[in-house]
Amino acid sequence: MYTDLFLYLLFSSFAILASLMVISLSNAVHSVLFLILVFCNVAGLLLLLGAEFLSFMLLIVYVGAIAVLFLFVVMMLNVKKTSTNLGVFAIGPIGLITFFILINQLLGVFNDFDTFGLKQKDLIWISWITEYNNLTNIQAVGKVLYTKYSFLFILSGLILLVAMLGAIVLTMHQRTDVKKQKIELQLNRNFGGSIKFINLRK
């Protein structure tokens, strides 16, 4: 078996299994962990297709920022499992409609795509001397991203920072049984009665 086809089938099968675990598990923390596994497998598929910039951006943005933020919010909010009694007739039609839509999309993809015809029949000669001077995809997109779209790039970083601060604020529980230092009461205190002299008997 060819290495490319084996890696394609491996990443695809793991992505499908992990995505099924995301929607089937009742624990939110486990669902987010399997969602990170889905992102990693999709990044591997993009890397096989030659879109290395999209692959690395998927790892950096989704796995490194958004999925970790989801995991942080879920763990800190302490989301408890809620038992809901939903019958088959309540969620059955929605599930059937979604199933038929996804099956239609998958059949449309597989009709135009030959999975087992990815093998390379003829050797392709590559002149690495000319390829060395050319820009890679990451360099080309990086030059555009950090020059023309630098403001949007910094703005997306600020949005993620605000989201992280919002998650921290939501997880701060105000407890009433904790003794705290109140500076205004200490400053308004009468210092004359703070020291008390006691005559001890000899």
Side-chain angles (χ1 to χ4, degrees):
M1 183 178 287
Y2 294 94
T3 308
D4 296 339
L5 183 59
F6 173 73
L7 290 176
Y8 168 75
L9 294 175
L10 182 67
F11 287 137
S12 301
S13 59
F14 273 113
I16 293 172
L17 290 175
S19 59
L20 291 175
M21 295 298 290
V22 169
I23 61 175
S24 61
L25 291 176
S26 59
N27 194 344
V29 178
H30 296 167
S31 297
V32 175
L33 290 176
F34 277 104
L35 182 64
I36 294 174
L37 184 60
V38 172
F39 288 151
C40 293
N41 289 308
V42 173
L45 289 174
L46 290 174
L47 196 61
L48 288 177
L49 293 175
E52 64 270 8
F53 177 76
L54 293 177
S55 175
F56 294 145
M57 285 299 291
L58 185 68
L59 287 176
I60 293 170
V61 176
Y62 282 92
V63 178
I66 297 177
V68 175
L69 186 62
F70 285 166
L71 185 62
F72 176 76
V73 170
V74 169
M75 291 178 66
M76 296 301 290
L77 288 180
N78 194 14
V79 178
K80 295 180 174 58
K81 180 180 177 181
T82 57
S83 60
T84 56
N85 296 323
L86 293 177
V88 180
F89 297 101
I91 59 175
I94 300 175
L96 288 176
I97 292 172
T98 308
F99 175 75
F100 283 119
I101 290 174
L102 291 177
I103 288 297
N104 188 17
Q105 295 294 326
L106 287 175
L107 291 177
V109 169
F110 285 125
N111 287 333
D112 300 330
F113 183 73
D114 189 8
T115 306
F116 297 98
L118 295 175
K119 58 183 180 180
Q120 184 177 347
K121 297 180 181 179
D122 299 328
L123 295 177
I124 299 175
W125 182 76
I126 298 174
S127 178
W128 293 106
I129 297 175
T130 57
E131 291 289 333
Y132 179 76
N133 295 325
N134 294 332
L135 291 176
T136 61
N137 293 334
I138 298 178
Q139 290 175 347
V141 177
K143 285 187 176 181
V144 176
L145 183 64
Y146 289 106
T147 54
K148 188 176 180 180
Y149 298 102
S150 60
F151 176 74
L152 296 176
F153 186 75
I154 296 172
L155 186 62
S156 63
L158 290 176
I159 291 173
L160 290 174
L161 179 62
V162 170
M164 184 180 68
L165 292 177
I168 295 173
V169 170
L170 288 174
T171 55
M172 292 178 62
H173 300 287
Q174 299 293 332
R175 296 178 57 185
T176 58
D177 57 345
V178 178
K179 293 183 179 180
K180 297 181 179 180
Q181 184 180 10
K182 295 182 180 180
I183 306 298
E184 62 275 6
L185 294 179
Q186 293 179 355
L187 294 177
N188 293 328
R189 185 180 177 184
N190 186 9
F191 297 100
S194 58
I195 301 175
K196 184 177 180 180
F197 295 98
I198 301 174
N199 293 325
L200 298 175
R201 294 181 297 175
K202 296 181 180 180

